[in-house]
Amino acid sequence: MLNKGITLRGIEVFEALARSGSVAQAAEATGLSQPAVSQQMRNLESAIGAELVDHTRRPMRLTPAGQMFLRRAEQALGELRLAQSEVTVMDLAHLEALNLGVIDDFDDDLTPRLATILGDSLTGCRFRMITAGSNELAKALRDKSLHMALSAQIDGPMAGVLEYPLARDPFILITPAGTSADPDALLRGDTDLPFLRYAADQLIARQIEAHLASEGHDLPARFEIGSHLALMAMVARGIGWAVTTPLGYMRAARFHERLAAHPLPAAAQAQPPARTISLFAGAEWSGPVPRDIAQTLRQLMQTHMIAPAIAQLPWLAEGFHLLEDTAPIGE
């Protein structure tokens, strides 16, 4: 039995405070007043018998006990939220057809889970799901061969398409395990280890190149790789280093013993640059269906991608997180 004072609401408040480091932002995220947030934290710390947050710092930082508790709390909350989304899964029985595209970053884990959850709800509906790169999904949305797409944020606005932002996926630097060169030296080109690029026609490649250019980095173009797993395999073999995201890194689990992940230095920004993962839906689909699917996706991403990544790389916590459920962009 849980100690008296450990409540689900208290754990949700702690998670929001750990994510933002601000009582005001935690209050906004949870719908409580700031005094109520502070009281929830006092009750939780008293029940656990340990300080979870260093209250003397601004923004607040987790104590070692808080970091440990957060990992378990996020897993527990993720399972509860996923159970809720599965039990109260979308009422989609009225749909005649749904064509959904999913970015190939999610092939290994999220896509199969999403397919089974939707399959349980789409009774009598013609359901089509494809996986592809962000550029292909954007084209399919524009020509209306897809109703919705889970994708990295697409360059520029798309007429007649609403965007439901889901998660922030920051760029990180990946090196072979045991490499002595530090990230700053790699970005300056001061080492013999070359930069391995994504293929230039990929959206992630353009986003990475734009960031490097904004920071004044001009790295030689020697390798350009179209396959994400091939890129990570080359890094694991010591051929070079790369920039990817936590979602990309977690896809390459088979190579993790031979890879090292590092924060990407960003001199001009408080937070490292990131891509946004969003659900895009044709404007004719505005309403509860895309909102419900977006919420289910948030729970799946938190439980099966974000929480495991932060458990492995705790420094990701500040930049790799869900985005709050707000009105869709373009509405």
Side-chain angles (χ1 to χ4, degrees), residues 112-152:
R113 295 175 188 276
L114 178 63
T116 56
I117 291 173
L118 290 175
D120 287 339
S121 302
L122 292 166
T123 56
C125 171
R126 186 180 63 80
F127 178 41
R128 172 173 169 256
M129 176 184 280
I130 66 167
T131 60
S134 294
N135 288 331
E136 294 174 73
L137 296 178
K139 181 178 182 299
L141 282 169
R142 290 187 180 100
D143 65 23
K144 299 189 182 301
S145 60
L146 285 179
H147 299 131
M148 300 181 201
L150 171 61
S151 172

Side-chain angles (χ1 to χ4, degrees), residues 93-296:
H94 63 287
L95 295 182
E96 296 182 359
L98 176 61
N99 296 337
L100 175 67
V102 181
I103 189 174
D104 45 21
D105 297 54
F106 299 131
D107 273 356
D108 294 342
D109 204 343
L110 186 145
T111 301
R113 295 175 188 276
L114 178 63
T116 56
I117 291 173
L118 290 175
D120 287 339
S121 302
L122 292 166
T123 56
C125 171
R126 186 180 63 80
F127 178 41
R128 172 173 169 256
M129 176 184 280
I130 66 167
T131 60
S134 294
N135 288 331
E136 294 174 73
L137 296 178
K139 181 178 182 299
L141 282 169
R142 290 187 180 100
D143 65 23
K144 299 189 182 301
S145 60
L146 285 179
H147 299 131
M148 300 181 201
L150 171 61
S151 172
Q153 195 169 43
I154 295 165
D155 287 342
M158 289 194 295
V161 175
L162 302 177
E163 178 184 357
Y164 299 78
L166 304 177
R168 187 179 190 277
D169 190 27
F171 293 112
I172 60 176
L173 194 147
I174 307 295
T175 65
T179 297
S180 58
D182 65 75
D184 287 303
L186 292 169
L187 288 167
R188 290 195 304 269
D190 291 344
T191 76
D192 294 330
L193 201 63
F195 176 43
L196 310 180
R197 286 175 159 85
Y198 283 95
D201 62 346
Q202 295 180 339
L203 177 60
I204 191 172
R206 296 201 299 273
Q207 293 170 327
I208 291 170
E209 293 298 329
H211 167 69
L212 294 177
S214 72
E215 296 286 310
H217 303 305
D218 183 18
L219 297 164
R222 288 187 55 198
F223 295 93
E224 188 177 306
I225 311 300
S227 162
H228 170 75
L229 289 180
L231 187 71
M232 292 297 103
M234 291 175 69
V235 177
R237 285 290 299 270
I239 295 171
W241 61 277
V243 175
T244 187
T245 70
L247 289 179
Y249 174 75
M250 296 304 286
R251 282 182 69 195
R254 72 185 76 172
F255 304 119
H256 281 182
E257 289 185 357
R258 291 179 285 157
L259 297 175
H262 313 270
L264 181 64
Q269 293 154 318
Q271 278 194 317
R275 63 178 186 168
T276 299
I277 305 299
S278 299
L279 177 69
F280 295 89
E284 68 275 13
W285 284 77
S286 62
V289 171
R291 289 180 184 277
D292 287 348
I293 293 176
Q295 189 56 32
T296 296

Side-chain angles (χ1 to χ4, degrees), residues 68-89:
M68 183 182 304
F69 187 73
L70 178 64
R71 289 195 290 271
R72 299 297 186 184
E74 286 184 325
Q75 291 173 10
L77 287 172
E79 289 297 330
L80 286 170
R81 289 165 178 159
L82 183 57
Q84 175 180 275
S85 69
E86 289 177 343
V87 170
T88 61
V89 73

